[in-house]
Amino acid sequence: MSLRFKLLLVALSTLALPWAGWQFVRQTEALLRQGQEQALLASAGTLAKAFAASGIDWPSAPVLYVHRLAEPITVDGYADDWAELRPYAQALGPAQDAQKLRVLLGNNDDGLYLLAEVRDATRTRVDASDSRASASDHIDLVLARGEDTRRYLIANAAPGPFVARSDVARSDVASSTLPERLAGVWQEDGSGYRVELRIPGTLRPQAIGVSVYDAAAPAPDRPTPRALLSYDARAAGTLAALEPDHLRARIVDTDAWLIADAGVLLTQSSAQSEADGWFARTVYHSLIAPALTGSPALTGEAARLDAAEVWQALSGVAATSWRAGDAGDGVVLAAAVPLHAAGEVRGALVLEQANRALPLLANRALFGLAGATLAALAIAGLILLLFGASLSFRIRRLRNAAERATRTSGRLHGPMPLADSEDELGDLARSFGKLFDEVGAYTDYLRTLASKLSHELNTPLAIVKSSLDNLDHQALSAEARAYASRARDGAERLGKIVRAMSESGRIERAIASADAEDFDLTALVAGCAAGYRALAGARDLRVRLPGTPTPFHGAPELIAQALDKLFDNARSFTPEDGWIELSLEAMESGATIRVANSGPALPAAMQERLFDSLVSVREAAARKDSDTPHLGLGLYVVRLVAELHRGSAQARNLADGSGVEFALRFIGMPRRRMSEVPADA
């Protein structure tokens, strides 16, 4: 993992800042909502007490709710006119199947309308005037007003209009405040039948009881009149006079039926007329306030508020909730508190307040925080990226200098990079510089050690040789002469070693003073290859040369000498049945000569040090082939020749493991001007 990538990961840790800011915005918004909940609960409690003191007449449960009809009703036995109200139908069937009979009541200026839907797939139908009507399928309807009560048996032999007469004697009809007979329409389908009728407004009852009789499953069920509950305009006026501005208040009874309402929800105020976009709403509902769990039943104009908040208030415990605005704009806070009468909970007050400023301010705070945080992150990331790039660049410079010094036996070409820096990398560079100075000094000492030793050993070696020469003129026994002969052989070998050690210094001076000329490198390598064929013996010598001349500026004698040493090295390690390959590759910036051979691979630890002075890996081969010691000067000369021509020498094992390849890369010796040429040249 690179240093820049690590710094980038460190920069990403600053993402904790926007997370902390997001949590802060959420907590702040939650605190604001909590404060508004407390304020709205206080307002709702005060309004509930004031409304309870107005003296509203609460009917006794259970009740039948009379809906307000916005459109006229056609009495035809079909439920099309009741489509919007059918979800609010009240189940009045027997205890074992309450949904068998569903009743809807509606009121308008024309009177009171009733729709009764009966689920009954059997057919036992007779007219109401038939003596068997009480034992056939029918509906019992009871109307009550004050002390006056009337019962009507509704039955019909076939779909169509019907007339249901009351059970009151004719002598009492004139004094009754209820209708003598009811006209309506009976309609059937595969699942049952429907009865629709109208009661004139002047004869409207105060209580109604409805029950159904199924001839297939007869069960006596005397209808119990239920008080009628409807929207109370007087209570609504009282509520409108009490409620605060910009709020909506609704009063419900113990069954959550709407009794009165006042006010409207204002989802957009004049102070906040700027419209939120879908993105802002999505951000608010997803990131800031995802838990808006208000009941959807409170939305819009509903005849019954079947909401969890209402039922909690009807149980005697106040409740609050938040939900999205009815038009998707802003949020709505609802508070439901119980209404007490005579020490009992007789209803609930639902107070709602639309708030568009809260999500708008929360979004602005979040967007502002996000923008500032992203800008800070971008700046911090850019700074860290630039710092990482600069730091990695400086470290690479230091690494490259160290690698170059390692390849050149501790020699630094120029000053150590970053040595003038005042930071930790500067300290490291200065430490590296001191280390390479010591390594370079030690390498120079080793490089001159051979010439120093050869100079110091010449005098004692001459004394030994002269002593042995004088000893030859003395009379010695056979055993003594054998010892003298062995001593002379050792002196000869020691002399060869001294001469080889002194040769390294001369080679360096000779290479450094070589003159350059223009020549054809292809012809030079071809001539050397021709001479190597006789020396290769049974080994397969392969030569790969370009088909055109290769102009080059350098020292041909030194290049030929380097090739000789590379070929001699390859021949030493190549078995008799092996191969040696000599190739030349011309390039735009110079040329590359490669000498490859089959044989043992190079040790991994020696590949970088193979071209140093006094380094050799073939002591065993040298002892076997001849008595001449190998001091590791051959490949050292090859490197000196390559560096003279501004190139390099490299050795590597072949990829298939079959042998070794040595490569000399030459750029060429620099051309000197005429003014730089010595006068005696």
Side-chain angles (χ1 to χ4, degrees), residues 625-665:
D625 293 344
S626 66
D627 292 335
T628 303
H630 288 271
L631 301 181
L633 296 176
L635 295 181
Y636 175 63
V637 170
V638 171
R639 194 193 82 182
L640 293 179
V641 172
E643 291 178 351
L644 179 67
H645 292 83
R646 296 184 296 176
S648 62
Q650 295 178 348
R652 68 178 184 90
N653 295 319
L654 295 177
D656 56 3
S658 60
V660 180
E661 180 186 83
F662 290 82
L664 294 180
R665 291 180 173 85

CSV table of all heavy atoms in Angstrom, one decimal, residues 625-665:
chain,number,residue,atom,x,y,z
A,625,ASP,N,41.2,-25.7,-13.4
A,625,ASP,CA,41.7,-25.4,-14.8
A,625,ASP,C,43.2,-25.1,-14.8
A,625,ASP,O,43.9,-25.5,-15.7
A,625,ASP,CB,40.9,-24.3,-15.5
A,625,ASP,CG,39.5,-24.8,-15.7
A,625,ASP,OD1,39.2,-26.0,-15.6
A,625,ASP,OD2,38.6,-23.9,-15.9
A,626,SER,N,43.6,-24.3,-13.9
A,626,SER,CA,45.0,-23.8,-13.9
A,626,SER,C,45.4,-23.4,-12.5
A,626,SER,O,44.6,-23.3,-11.6
A,626,SER,CB,45.2,-22.6,-14.9
A,626,SER,OG,44.5,-21.5,-14.4
A,627,ASP,N,46.7,-23.1,-12.4
A,627,ASP,CA,47.2,-22.6,-11.1
A,627,ASP,C,47.1,-21.1,-11.0
A,627,ASP,O,47.4,-20.5,-10.0
A,627,ASP,CB,48.7,-23.0,-11.0
A,627,ASP,CG,48.8,-24.5,-10.8
A,627,ASP,OD1,47.8,-25.1,-10.4
A,627,ASP,OD2,49.9,-25.1,-11.1
A,628,THR,N,46.7,-20.4,-12.1
A,628,THR,CA,46.5,-19.0,-12.0
A,628,THR,C,45.3,-18.6,-11.2
A,628,THR,O,44.2,-19.0,-11.5
A,628,THR,CB,46.4,-18.4,-13.4
A,628,THR,OG1,47.6,-18.8,-14.2
A,628,THR,CG2,46.3,-16.9,-13.4
A,629,PRO,N,45.4,-17.8,-10.2
A,629,PRO,CA,44.3,-17.4,-9.4
A,629,PRO,C,43.4,-16.4,-10.1
A,629,PRO,O,43.9,-15.6,-10.8
A,629,PRO,CB,44.9,-16.8,-8.1
A,629,PRO,CG,46.2,-16.3,-8.6
A,629,PRO,CD,46.7,-17.2,-9.6
A,630,HIS,N,42.2,-16.5,-9.8
A,630,HIS,CA,41.2,-15.5,-10.3
A,630,HIS,C,40.8,-14.6,-9.2
A,630,HIS,O,40.2,-15.0,-8.2
A,630,HIS,CB,40.0,-16.2,-10.9
A,630,HIS,CG,40.2,-17.0,-12.1
A,630,HIS,ND1,40.1,-16.4,-13.4
A,630,HIS,CD2,40.6,-18.2,-12.4
A,630,HIS,CE1,40.4,-17.3,-14.3
A,630,HIS,NE2,40.7,-18.4,-13.7
A,631,LEU,N,41.2,-13.3,-9.4
A,631,LEU,CA,40.9,-12.3,-8.3
A,631,LEU,C,39.7,-11.5,-8.6
A,631,LEU,O,39.5,-10.5,-7.9
A,631,LEU,CB,42.1,-11.4,-8.2
A,631,LEU,CG,43.5,-12.1,-7.8
A,631,LEU,CD1,44.6,-11.1,-7.7
A,631,LEU,CD2,43.3,-12.9,-6.5
A,632,GLY,N,38.8,-11.9,-9.5
A,632,GLY,CA,37.6,-11.1,-9.8
A,632,GLY,C,37.8,-9.8,-10.5
A,632,GLY,O,37.0,-8.9,-10.3
A,633,LEU,N,38.9,-9.7,-11.3
A,633,LEU,CA,39.2,-8.5,-12.0
A,633,LEU,C,38.6,-8.4,-13.4
A,633,LEU,O,38.5,-7.3,-14.0
A,633,LEU,CB,40.7,-8.2,-12.1
A,633,LEU,CG,41.5,-8.1,-10.8
A,633,LEU,CD1,43.0,-8.0,-11.0
A,633,LEU,CD2,41.0,-6.9,-10.1
A,634,GLY,N,38.3,-9.6,-14.0
A,634,GLY,CA,37.8,-9.6,-15.3
A,634,GLY,C,36.4,-8.9,-15.5
A,634,GLY,O,36.3,-7.9,-16.3
A,635,LEU,N,35.4,-9.2,-14.7
A,635,LEU,CA,34.1,-8.6,-14.8
A,635,LEU,C,34.2,-7.1,-14.2
A,635,LEU,O,33.4,-6.3,-14.6
A,635,LEU,CB,33.1,-9.3,-14.0
A,635,LEU,CG,32.8,-10.7,-14.5
A,635,LEU,CD1,31.7,-11.4,-13.7
A,635,LEU,CD2,32.3,-10.7,-16.0
A,636,TYR,N,35.2,-6.9,-13.4
A,636,TYR,CA,35.4,-5.5,-12.9
A,636,TYR,C,35.9,-4.6,-14.1
A,636,TYR,O,35.4,-3.5,-14.2
A,636,TYR,CB,36.4,-5.5,-11.8
A,636,TYR,CG,36.8,-4.1,-11.3
A,636,TYR,CD1,35.9,-3.3,-10.7
A,636,TYR,CD2,38.1,-3.6,-11.4
A,636,TYR,CE1,36.2,-2.0,-10.3
A,636,TYR,CE2,38.5,-2.4,-11.0
A,636,TYR,CZ,37.5,-1.6,-10.4
A,636,TYR,OH,37.9,-0.3,-10.0
A,637,VAL,N,36.7,-5.2,-14.9
A,637,VAL,CA,37.2,-4.4,-16.1
A,637,VAL,C,36.0,-4.2,-17.1
A,637,VAL,O,35.9,-3.2,-17.7
A,637,VAL,CB,38.3,-5.2,-16.8
A,637,VAL,CG1,38.6,-4.6,-18.2
A,637,VAL,CG2,39.6,-5.2,-16.0
A,638,VAL,N,35.1,-5.2,-17.2
A,638,VAL,CA,34.0,-5.1,-18.0
A,638,VAL,C,33.1,-3.9,-17.6
A,638,VAL,O,32.6,-3.1,-18.4
A,638,VAL,CB,33.1,-6.4,-18.0
A,638,VAL,CG1,31.8,-6.2,-18.8
A,638,VAL,CG2,33.9,-7.5,-18.7
A,639,ARG,N,32.9,-3.8,-16.3
A,639,ARG,CA,32.1,-2.7,-15.8
A,639,ARG,C,32.8,-1.4,-16.0
A,639,ARG,O,32.1,-0.4,-16.4
A,639,ARG,CB,31.9,-2.9,-14.3
A,639,ARG,CG,30.8,-2.0,-13.7
A,639,ARG,CD,30.8,-2.0,-12.2
A,639,ARG,NE,31.8,-1.0,-11.7
A,639,ARG,CZ,32.1,-0.8,-10.4
A,639,ARG,NH1,31.5,-1.5,-9.5
A,639,ARG,NH2,33.1,0.1,-10.1
A,640,LEU,N,34.1,-1.3,-15.9
A,640,LEU,CA,34.8,0.0,-16.1
A,640,LEU,C,34.7,0.4,-17.6
A,640,LEU,O,34.5,1.6,-17.9
A,640,LEU,CB,36.3,-0.2,-15.7
A,640,LEU,CG,36.6,-0.4,-14.2
A,640,LEU,CD1,38.1,-0.5,-14.0
A,640,LEU,CD2,36.0,0.8,-13.4
A,641,VAL,N,34.7,-0.6,-18.5
A,641,VAL,CA,34.6,-0.3,-19.9
A,641,VAL,C,33.2,0.2,-20.2
A,641,VAL,O,33.0,1.2,-21.0
A,641,VAL,CB,34.9,-1.5,-20.8
A,641,VAL,CG1,34.6,-1.3,-22.2
A,641,VAL,CG2,36.4,-1.9,-20.6
A,642,ALA,N,32.2,-0.4,-19.6
A,642,ALA,CA,30.8,0.0,-19.8
A,642,ALA,C,30.6,1.4,-19.3
A,642,ALA,O,29.9,2.3,-19.9
A,642,ALA,CB,29.8,-1.0,-19.2
A,643,GLU,N,31.1,1.7,-18.1
A,643,GLU,CA,30.9,3.1,-17.5
A,643,GLU,C,31.7,4.1,-18.3
A,643,GLU,O,31.3,5.3,-18.4
A,643,GLU,CB,31.4,3.0,-16.0
A,643,GLU,CG,30.5,2.2,-15.1
A,643,GLU,CD,31.0,2.2,-13.7
A,643,GLU,OE1,32.1,2.6,-13.5
A,643,GLU,OE2,30.3,1.7,-12.8
A,644,LEU,N,32.9,3.7,-18.9
A,644,LEU,CA,33.6,4.7,-19.7
A,644,LEU,C,32.7,5.1,-20.9
A,644,LEU,O,32.8,6.3,-21.3
A,644,LEU,CB,34.9,4.0,-20.2
A,644,LEU,CG,35.8,4.9,-21.1
A,644,LEU,CD1,36.3,6.1,-20.3
A,644,LEU,CD2,36.9,4.1,-21.7
A,645,HIS,N,31.9,4.2,-21.4
A,645,HIS,CA,31.1,4.5,-22.6
A,645,HIS,C,29.7,4.9,-22.1
A,645,HIS,O,28.7,4.8,-22.8
A,645,HIS,CB,31.0,3.3,-23.5
A,645,HIS,CG,32.2,2.9,-24.2
A,645,HIS,ND1,33.2,2.2,-23.6
A,645,HIS,CD2,32.7,3.3,-25.4
A,645,HIS,CE1,34.2,2.1,-24.5
A,645,HIS,NE2,33.9,2.7,-25.6
A,646,ARG,N,29.6,5.4,-20.8
A,646,ARG,CA,28.3,6.0,-20.3
A,646,ARG,C,27.2,4.9,-20.3
A,646,ARG,O,26.1,5.2,-20.6
A,646,ARG,CB,27.9,7.2,-21.0
A,646,ARG,CG,28.8,8.4,-20.9
A,646,ARG,CD,28.3,9.6,-21.6
A,646,ARG,NE,28.1,9.4,-23.0
A,646,ARG,CZ,27.6,10.3,-23.8
A,646,ARG,NH1,27.1,11.5,-23.3
A,646,ARG,NH2,27.5,10.1,-25.1
A,647,GLY,N,27.6,3.7,-20.0
A,647,GLY,CA,26.6,2.6,-20.0
A,647,GLY,C,26.7,1.9,-18.7
A,647,GLY,O,27.1,2.4,-17.7
A,648,SER,N,26.2,0.6,-18.7
A,648,SER,CA,26.2,-0.2,-17.5
A,648,SER,C,26.3,-1.6,-17.9
A,648,SER,O,26.2,-2.0,-19.1
A,648,SER,CB,24.8,0.0,-16.8
A,648,SER,OG,23.8,-0.4,-17.6
A,649,ALA,N,26.7,-2.4,-16.9
A,649,ALA,CA,26.9,-3.9,-17.1
A,649,ALA,C,26.0,-4.6,-16.1
A,649,ALA,O,25.9,-4.2,-14.9
A,649,ALA,CB,28.3,-4.3,-16.8
A,650,GLN,N,25.2,-5.6,-16.6
A,650,GLN,CA,24.3,-6.3,-15.8
A,650,GLN,C,24.4,-7.8,-16.1
A,650,GLN,O,24.8,-8.2,-17.2
A,650,GLN,CB,22.8,-5.8,-16.1
A,650,GLN,CG,22.6,-4.4,-15.7
A,650,GLN,CD,21.2,-4.0,-16.1
A,650,GLN,OE1,20.4,-4.7,-16.8
A,650,GLN,NE2,20.7,-2.8,-15.6
A,651,ALA,N,24.0,-8.6,-15.0
A,651,ALA,CA,24.0,-10.0,-15.2
A,651,ALA,C,22.7,-10.5,-14.6
A,651,ALA,O,22.3,-10.0,-13.5
A,651,ALA,CB,25.2,-10.6,-14.4
A,652,ARG,N,22.1,-11.5,-15.2
A,652,ARG,CA,20.9,-12.1,-14.7
A,652,ARG,C,20.8,-13.5,-15.2
A,652,ARG,O,21.5,-14.0,-16.1
A,652,ARG,CB,19.7,-11.3,-15.3
A,652,ARG,CG,19.5,-11.4,-16.8
A,652,ARG,CD,18.2,-10.7,-17.2
A,652,ARG,NE,18.0,-10.9,-18.6
A,652,ARG,CZ,17.2,-11.9,-19.1
A,652,ARG,NH1,16.7,-12.7,-18.3
A,652,ARG,NH2,17.0,-12.0,-20.4
A,653,ASN,N,20.0,-14.3,-14.4
A,653,ASN,CA,19.7,-15.7,-14.8
A,653,ASN,C,18.6,-15.7,-15.9
A,653,ASN,O,17.7,-14.9,-15.8
A,653,ASN,CB,19.2,-16.5,-13.6
A,653,ASN,CG,20.3,-16.6,-12.5
A,653,ASN,OD1,21.5,-16.8,-12.9
A,653,ASN,ND2,20.0,-16.5,-11.3
A,654,LEU,N,18.7,-16.6,-16.8
A,654,LEU,CA,17.6,-16.7,-17.8
A,654,LEU,C,16.3,-17.1,-17.2
A,654,LEU,O,16.3,-17.8,-16.2
A,654,LEU,CB,18.1,-17.7,-18.9
A,654,LEU,CG,19.3,-17.2,-19.7
A,654,LEU,CD1,19.7,-18.3,-20.7
A,654,LEU,CD2,19.0,-15.9,-20.5
A,655,ALA,N,15.2,-16.7,-17.8
A,655,ALA,CA,13.9,-17.0,-17.3
A,655,ALA,C,13.6,-18.4,-17.2
A,655,ALA,O,12.9,-18.9,-16.3
A,655,ALA,CB,12.8,-16.2,-18.1
A,656,ASP,N,14.1,-19.2,-18.2
A,656,ASP,CA,13.8,-20.7,-18.2
A,656,ASP,C,14.8,-21.4,-17.3
A,656,ASP,O,14.7,-22.7,-17.2
A,656,ASP,CB,13.8,-21.2,-19.6
A,656,ASP,CG,15.2,-20.9,-20.3
A,656,ASP,OD1,16.1,-20.3,-19.7
A,656,ASP,OD2,15.3,-21.3,-21.5
A,657,GLY,N,15.8,-20.7,-16.6
A,657,GLY,CA,16.7,-21.4,-15.8
A,657,GLY,C,17.8,-22.2,-16.5
A,657,GLY,O,18.5,-23.0,-15.8
A,658,SER,N,17.9,-22.0,-17.8
A,658,SER,CA,18.9,-22.8,-18.5
A,658,SER,C,20.3,-22.2,-18.5
A,658,SER,O,21.3,-22.9,-18.8
A,658,SER,CB,18.5,-22.9,-20.0
A,658,SER,OG,18.4,-21.6,-20.6
A,659,GLY,N,20.5,-21.0,-18.0
A,659,GLY,CA,21.8,-20.4,-18.0
A,659,GLY,C,21.8,-19.0,-17.5
A,659,GLY,O,20.9,-18.6,-16.8
A,660,VAL,N,22.8,-18.2,-18.0
A,660,VAL,CA,23.1,-16.9,-17.5
A,660,VAL,C,23.3,-15.9,-18.7
A,660,VAL,O,23.8,-16.4,-19.7
A,660,VAL,CB,24.3,-16.8,-16.6
A,660,VAL,CG1,24.6,-15.4,-16.0
A,660,VAL,CG2,24.2,-17.8,-15.4
A,661,GLU,N,22.9,-14.7,-18.5
A,661,GLU,CA,23.1,-13.7,-19.6
A,661,GLU,C,23.8,-12.4,-19.0
A,661,GLU,O,23.3,-11.9,-17.9
A,661,GLU,CB,21.7,-13.3,-20.2
A,661,GLU,CG,21.9,-12.2,-21.3
A,661,GLU,CD,20.5,-11.7,-21.8
A,661,GLU,OE1,20.0,-10.8,-21.1
A,661,GLU,OE2,20.1,-12.3,-22.8
A,662,PHE,N,24.8,-12.0,-19.7
A,662,PHE,CA,25.5,-10.7,-19.3
A,662,PHE,C,25.2,-9.7,-20.4
A,662,PHE,O,25.3,-10.0,-21.6
A,662,PHE,CB,27.0,-10.9,-19.2
A,662,PHE,CG,27.4,-11.8,-18.0
A,662,PHE,CD1,27.4,-13.1,-18.0
A,662,PHE,CD2,27.9,-11.1,-16.9
A,662,PHE,CE1,27.7,-13.9,-16.9
A,662,PHE,CE2,28.3,-11.9,-15.8
A,662,PHE,CZ,28.2,-13.3,-15.8
A,663,ALA,N,24.9,-8.5,-20.0
A,663,ALA,CA,24.5,-7.5,-20.9
A,663,ALA,C,25.3,-6.2,-20.7
A,663,ALA,O,25.5,-5.8,-19.6
A,663,ALA,CB,23.0,-7.1,-20.8
A,664,LEU,N,25.9,-5.7,-21.8
A,664,LEU,CA,26.6,-4.4,-21.8
A,664,LEU,C,25.8,-3.4,-22.6
A,664,LEU,O,25.6,-3.6,-23.8
A,664,LEU,CB,28.0,-4.6,-22.4
A,664,LEU,CG,29.0,-5.5,-21.7
A,664,LEU,CD1,30.3,-5.6,-22.4
A,664,LEU,CD2,29.2,-5.0,-20.3
A,665,ARG,N,25.4,-2.4,-21.9
A,665,ARG,CA,24.6,-1.3,-22.6
A,665,ARG,C,25.5,-0.1,-22.7
A,665,ARG,O,26.0,0.4,-21.7
A,665,ARG,CB,23.4,-0.9,-21.8
A,665,ARG,CG,22.3,-2.0,-21.8
A,665,ARG,CD,21.1,-1.6,-21.0
A,665,ARG,NE,20.0,-2.6,-21.1
A,665,ARG,CZ,19.9,-3.7,-20.4
A,665,ARG,NH1,20.8,-4.0,-19.5
A,665,ARG,NH2,18.9,-4.5,-20.6
